[in-house]
Amino acid sequence: MPTPFPFELLAPPNPLTLPLPPAAHPSPGVRLVRGVPYGVIDGARPLELDLWLPENAPGPCPVIVFVHGGAWRQGLRDDMGPLLRDAVQDPFARLVAAGFAVACADYRLSGEAVYPAQLDDLRTALGWLHARSRELGTDSSRTVLWGASAGGHLAALTALAGPAGTAVPPVRGCVVWYAPTDLAALVEDCPPGRFDPGSTASFEALLIGSALDAAPDLVAAAGPAKRVTPDAPPFLVLHGTEDTLVPVAQGRRLAAALREAGVPVDFRAIDGADHLWVGLDGDRIEECFLTSLRFARSVTVQQTNGAEENGPDRAPRAG
């Protein structure tokens, strides 16, 4: 009788145990590991992240998880935005120089899966980072989420939902740039006639999988402003006053919900800025980046001998 085929060999590899790909060294003191599988989903492409890690760190370092934008429909995991490419040189290497590890995570786009798949993916990424933190030299208990536009929406949702699995520490803070935060309120916040909740072709409808007015419960669940609890971590919310794609009222809604719940939030309306920081010069875009870095440092400080420390310098207070 023939030996049965060992079908267990057809099972996908476990991302928690796969070896890391070879590292590159794009700048002094930085180790870059691209295309690390963190999730394997039946019927879908493997989910990957890029890791920017400090070399010769004195101890486990805090982590920034960056979530890219692109209307939930497109985008590259390591792209902070088109204007950042010129205004802020090597942003991830700069974050490493400031004492952080950075993970730029993929998630399933709306053409691949509808919400809440994107939230599930990012929660899985947090679990992977925690499980391999010793190997990476990172401190997963000091993690900050940072996202722009649709990525800011997903970063906020992930910060509010918490990681998958009770063993994974909650994040310490969340940076949100010009993100939708209350999908049901877009029709109210946008100029008259600009947003149609009955459309099945809007980016929001493609994320949800139906017209927004046909799925009110799902729309509410997909709105960070509707998911705030007193247990939420501190937030930094930056939003342009002249944003023509996502009205600044959306940022204000998230900030108001956080304040009402007693959660620390620093909301800044960036005067004259449209979406993606269009309308700002390089210096003002740089300041948005530095403000976000200062916030990330302030929420990841450690108590050492009664003093707050985060690497070689005291972390400046956000704001």
Side-chain angles (χ1 to χ4, degrees):
M1 186 173 182
T3 303
F5 183 81
F7 282 96
E8 63 274 11
L9 296 179
L10 298 178
N14 183 354
L16 296 178
T17 59
L18 281 174
L20 296 177
H25 299 83
S27 57
V30 177
R31 182 163 60 101
L32 172 57
V33 186
R34 289 197 182 273
V36 183
Y38 76 81
V40 178
I41 301 167
D42 186 37
R45 63 184 171 91
L47 297 169
E48 297 179 344
L49 51 78
D50 296 340
L51 292 168
W52 299 71
L53 303 168
E55 295 205 276
N56 304 316
C61 56
V63 182
I64 290 173
V65 178
F66 177 74
V67 188
H68 72 84
W72 308 283
R73 197 75 181 169
Q74 58 187 18
L76 301 174
R77 61 179 176 251
D78 63 348
D79 189 3
M80 276 196 166
L83 299 188
L84 270 289
R85 296 171 203 156
D86 293 326
V88 181
Q89 295 295 317
D90 300 321
F92 301 121
R94 289 179 61 183
L95 295 176
V96 170
F100 288 91
V102 182
C104 301
D106 270 342
Y107 53 87
R108 281 172 286 177
L109 302 174
S110 62
E112 301 172 293
V114 297
Y115 177 84
Q118 298 75 20
L119 173 59
D120 294 340
D121 295 344
L122 293 174
R123 297 178 79 197
T124 298
L126 292 179
W128 185 94
L129 289 164
H130 174 67
R132 303 192 67 162
S133 58
R134 184 183 297 273
E135 174 187 4
L136 300 175
T138 57
D139 181 355
S140 60
S141 71
R142 295 189 291 145
T143 296
V144 175
L145 286 157
W146 178 339
S149 194
H153 163 265
L154 294 175
L157 278 177
T158 307
L160 294 167
T166 57
V168 184
V171 301
R172 288 283 191 94
C174 186
V175 176
V176 178
W177 285 3
Y178 45 81
T181 70
D182 186 343
L183 304 188
L186 281 169
V187 66
E188 177 183 345
D189 293 343
C190 289
R194 178 73 61 83
F195 185 79
D196 179 8
S199 170
T200 58
S202 70
F203 289 123
E204 293 79 9
L206 293 171
L207 172 70
I208 295 299
S210 74
L212 269 60
D213 61 6
D217 292 342
L218 190 58
V219 170
K226 299 296 189 184
R227 299 188 63 151
V228 172
T229 72
D231 295 329
F235 272 70
L236 171 68
V237 182
L238 305 185
H239 210 122
T241 61
E242 307 304 314
D243 197 320
T244 55
L245 298 185
V246 180
V248 67
Q250 287 280 299
R252 291 194 173 105
R253 288 182 184 276
L254 176 58
L258 290 162
R259 291 192 191 102
E260 185 176 353
V263 177
V265 55
D266 182 356
F267 171 72
R268 303 193 185 197
I270 309 301
D271 188 48
D274 201 336
H275 207 65
L276 304 176
W277 302 139
V278 170
L280 300 187
D281 61 23
D283 288 343
R284 294 188 66 198
I285 295 174
E286 167 82 4
E287 184 54 34
C288 290
F289 175 82
L290 291 176
T291 297
S292 303
L293 172 56
R294 287 193 290 266
F295 170 83
R297 297 185 70 186
S298 73
V299 296
T300 56
V301 292
Q302 294 188 100
Q303 297 289 334
T304 305
N305 296 326
E308 290 185 339
E309 295 184 358
N310 185 32
D313 302 315
R314 286 286 299 276
R317 184 179 299 275

